[in-house]
Amino acid sequence: MTLLDALRRRWWLALLAVAAVVALFASRVAGFYTDVLWFNSVGYTDVLWTVLGTRLAVGLVAGVVVALLVAGNLLLARRLAPLYRIPSAQEAVVERYRQAVEPISRPLIAAVAAVGGLLSGTSIVGEWPTFLLWAHAVPFGREDPQFGLDLGYFLFVLPFLSLVNSWLFATLALTALLAALAHYVFGGIRPQSPGQKITPQVTVHLSILLAALVAVRAWGFWLDRYLLSYSERGQVTGLSYTDVNAELIGYQLLTIISVVCVVLFLVNVRYRAWQLPSAGAAILLVAAVVLSGVYPAAIQRLQVAPQELERERPYIARNLEFTRLGYGLEDVSRQPFPAEGELAPPAVRRNAGTLESVRLWDPATLQNTYQQLQEFRPYYDFRDVDVDRYDLDGQRRQVMISVREISEADLPPEAQTWQNRRLEYTHGYGLVATAVSTASQQGQPIFLVDNIPPSGARELEVDNPRIYFGERPPEYSIVGSGKTELDYPRQQGDPAQYRYTGEGGVRVGSPLRRLAFALRYSEPNLVLSSLIDSESKILFNRAITDRVEAVAPYLKLDHDPYPVAVGERIKWVIDGYTTSDMLPYSQRTDLEELTVSEQLLLVPVQSEDGTLTLEEQSVSVPGLRGTANYIRNSVKAVVDAYDGTITLYVTDPEDPVIQAWQNVFPGTLTPLGEASRELRRHFRYPEDMFRVQSELFRTYHIPEADEFYTKEDAWNLPIDAAVAANDDNEGSPGPERSLRPYYQLMRLPGEEREEFALIQPYTPVERNNLTAWLAGSSDPENYGDLKAYLMPPNKTVFGPQQVQARVDQDARVSEQITLWNQSGSRVIYGNLLVIPVGRSLLYAQPLFLRAEQSEIPELKKVVLVLGDEVVMENSLGEALVALFGRAPDVRLPGGGQMPEDGTPGGPTGPVGTQVERIVAQALQRFAAADRALRRGDLGTYQEETTRARRMLQRAERLLEATAPSAPSPPSAG
């Protein structure tokens, strides 16, 4: 039976195979076609074609070069095969292989070359960023201290040259190996022959290949000199004493020896004897072992180890300089912080904005509360809660904010139809915002904006609160179809309906596009549904991080996008980072290890009796990925939550890496000046970058090489005392977790107004007292500034763990917690925050109570710690009154005192008594405002706050009136 007869009888198998191949390729073609439509819809088509074209070009060039090299050399080996002769008994086996291969040698060579080219091409296409950065390199404007080269050579050129060198060496090694094998099969190499074992033609061929291979390795040795700039041999990254005085010289000698070996191989083309090339290769191998292994190890042991600091001092200084450059730590301002144990009335008055903004609610607790109180329907969800600041009633306020996203996967099983999931439940609706420092009488947050439709503070209102693009949206939705979308539920009657009118999305009315998307999502309803018409659009690639990654594949994105209510719509802001691991001397770090975070999620758990309860589970949230020793927050990506418009604002135009990418993708990046002033006021210091900087600053705050070597002043990130306290309270101690940085609206020392800053405290290594804190400014006027405040070296300032211990040991606190535990409720320690206020440090910690039958934690108490005083009250306002009810003395530098009347050196007088009374009354007004806000009485809240501020202004005028004409002493604020 012929093959044709077999196919005729089994025609259905052939048809099935053809259909499978067509389906496979059709799905891929449909995916590519729909990707093109998507890039065109968002206006970034050039990005797609540039990346695709570069990948194709790089892979094609690599594949063709490898295929031609392999095929050409294998064909040459076949052509150089000796004439037929009678083989010896030992050669009979090889001769049989030759006879079997000879008839199919040409197609076999073509197949081997094609496979080699395909493997090489596909393995190198992922290196397209390396090629593009090399092709569009820009100068860094700063030279490295060893070779005198611009740092741009190391960031852009050296990675590409190293890649080409490695690829070329592997290609030539493979070609030489296959050529030798071919010569063996075709008879040019006969190791068992009693006569000549290698024919002269084969000797010439292999000599040329080996000469090329060694020449490439000589180039590699030369490049290895520059790669020593990332050496880990010494105490720090970068060239060390041994690298400069041994390894660097070794690579130079190896380069020379390799060139000599190349000459010997080329000479062998004429003399065709292997003695000299073999001797040269042996010398090269021995020299490589000695010069790059034995000799540097001897120098390290005999010259460096006995006096390491003296030898390594200049190289440690280089590492300090370039690591600070790489992580943006060059311009950190440092100033002493007195950490006084008390606050005077003027300091309280000056820092009223800071005290009003003490954050009691943490995002994890609020996310739980939002889900319980504001979801309203199972198909809504709050993915995350973020911290931001807004101007409310003319005052800058710190708020917690989240958006109500659609979660169609949580529809009841009977409602899980394609029409519901893809055509009706298409978008979320509205945002929710709460005050950071207050709670209602029931211990719930005070909502500034809540409900559906959203209502509340007018400053947080947007004209269009619909959320089509978010953190975890549906895979795709069809809008503008014959079925109107569910807009939002009403208290009475049917839900409100809506039709999408935005510019986002891809029209899907034509048969071709419907078929393409049906293949992409393996969904026949996209073709069969009569509800899809010519006006219909499909919204896909809706996750905001996926959208930004698609149009800016060269950026690493922060793990925490945050929503902003500006103008007519809600916008998402995502911090984008340019990174490199090729800055000389800069310490490399594992970004994921430094930026991974834990998030508490409520997960439904079924008990033995079948009931479902929600339990908290800690889930790791990945941060930045990869290794880096250079990072810049060069881009703020802004995504419109309604139509998905993506705008990439360049926030660091001086960054050479973003300059290179601007050359690669011209017109895709937008100058920061084109962002609205309102939007820029909501940009935050990037959290992931700050975490990386904070980790490096633990040791790289040390200014000089000698102190850095001893690590005598090294710092640690303090332990998150609240997490440890909660674990102890539950009787299940878990692993310790470092205190993560937190945003706080505060008046930084020496500044005239409150600003939104990211704060990270530090403790000394092996000790728990506070030694410093680092602040990253977020407001436009000082955006990106880093300031380090150092505690007095001769004074013990309690750190978070020590303060937590004091809180636990306080009689009132411990008695209250014992009482709550005995009632069966669960006590939850909130974040213990270190808040600089004037010249003092205030610790604040909320205490939450979760009843046995409730999933909603209630804010019951607020604990404040200042110096030796610990107070616990029902609210922040009452705690502030308890702490500052009587204005304490103001300590002057040098141990003097400023009496309460504000005049240095004089006795307490009528003015001082009056100021003290006014401040106490103002604090009582703030407490009354707090109680009004808890009742939801915004009018009374505003009235009481205004009265309190007027009282403080009156006290300030009294103090100014009694101040002497001589220069006034330093303030307590």
Side-chain angles (χ1 to χ4, degrees), residues 447-497:
F447 286 96
L448 302 173
V449 176
D450 60 353
N451 297 330
I452 301 178
S455 61
R458 64 181 184 280
E459 293 86 353
L460 288 165
E461 290 180 358
V462 291
D463 297 335
N464 190 341
R466 296 169 182 86
I467 312 296
Y468 281 89
F469 299 86
E471 296 194 62
R472 290 194 298 274
E475 185 178 21
Y476 70 92
S477 294
I478 307 295
V479 296
S481 68
K483 180 74 175 68
T484 55
E485 309 160 47
L486 182 143
D487 201 21
Y488 58 85
R490 293 187 174 122
Q491 290 183 349
Q492 296 179 348
D494 295 333
Q497 301 297 308

Side-chain angles (χ1 to χ4, degrees), residues 614-691:
L614 294 176
E615 292 186 3
E616 284 184 350
Q617 290 188 9
S618 181
V619 178
S620 293
V621 179
L624 305 179
R625 299 185 184 276
T627 301
N629 62 7
Y630 175 89
I631 182 171
R632 291 293 185 271
N633 175 217
S634 296
V635 173
K636 299 283 188 184
V638 178
V639 181
D640 191 300
Y642 180 69
D643 65 15
T645 301
I646 308 162
T647 309
L648 306 175
Y649 293 106
V650 178
T651 54
D652 187 359
E654 301 300 320
D655 171 28
V657 180
I658 202 62
Q659 291 174 6
W661 286 119
Q662 282 180 305
N663 294 337
V664 174
F665 302 112
T668 61
L669 296 167
T670 305
L672 182 61
E674 295 187 18
S676 68
R677 182 174 180 273
E678 184 181 7
L679 177 62
R680 292 180 62 184
R681 285 171 62 83
H682 290 283
F683 288 164
R684 308 187 311 191
Y685 198 101
E687 184 176 353
D688 279 347
M689 180 169 170
F690 188 77
R691 292 180 66 182

Side-chain angles (χ1 to χ4, degrees), residues 24-59:
L24 175 64
F25 283 96
S27 177
R28 292 181 178 273
V29 170
F32 173 71
Y33 173 59
T34 52
D35 281 341
V36 173
L37 294 175
W38 183 84
F39 275 95
N40 186 60
S41 71
V42 296
Y44 286 87
T45 310
D46 288 346
V47 173
L48 172 66
W49 295 121
T50 299
V51 173
L52 185 62
T54 304
R55 289 171 63 93
L56 184 62
V58 169

Side-chain angles (χ1 to χ4, degrees), residues 337-344 347 791-792 795 797 837-842 865-868 889-896 970-973:
F337 188 82
E340 296 175 352
E342 53 188 26
L343 271 173
M791 303 301 112
K795 180 179 181 180
V797 180
V837 182
R839 298 162 62 92
S840 304
L841 288 174
L842 177 70
V865 181
L866 178 66
D868 296 327
D889 292 340
V890 177
R891 302 286 176 178
L892 288 177
S971 71

Side-chain angles (χ1 to χ4, degrees), residues 745-763:
L745 184 62
M746 57 180 292
R747 182 172 176 265
L748 291 172
E751 299 296 332
E752 295 299 325
R753 57 184 294 274
E754 286 80 20
E755 60 181 289
F756 195 59
L758 192 53
I759 305 296
Q760 176 64 68
Y762 291 98
T763 58

Side-chain angles (χ1 to χ4, degrees), residues 913-958:
T913 303
Q914 188 177 0
V915 168
E916 179 182 347
R917 184 171 60 254
I918 292 173
V919 170
Q921 291 173 351
L923 292 173
Q924 290 172 359
R925 290 290 185 184
F926 278 127
D930 179 72
R931 290 192 294 271
L933 192 56
R934 292 169 63 186
R935 295 193 304 270
D937 187 351
L938 296 178
T940 303
Y941 168 78
Q942 181 63 35
E943 181 180 354
E944 294 291 346
T945 302
T946 302
R947 289 180 178 178
R949 290 185 177 278
R950 288 174 180 171
M951 288 179 179
L952 292 178
Q953 292 170 359
R954 178 186 171 195
E956 184 176 10
R957 288 194 296 270
L958 284 172

Side-chain angles (χ1 to χ4, degrees), residues 380-396:
Y380 286 133
D381 191 16
F382 292 95
R383 311 293 192 185
D384 190 20
V385 179
D386 293 287
V387 187
D388 203 351
R389 70 284 196 201
Y390 286 84
D391 291 330
L392 304 178
D393 293 326
Q395 297 293 326
R396 178 64 61 90

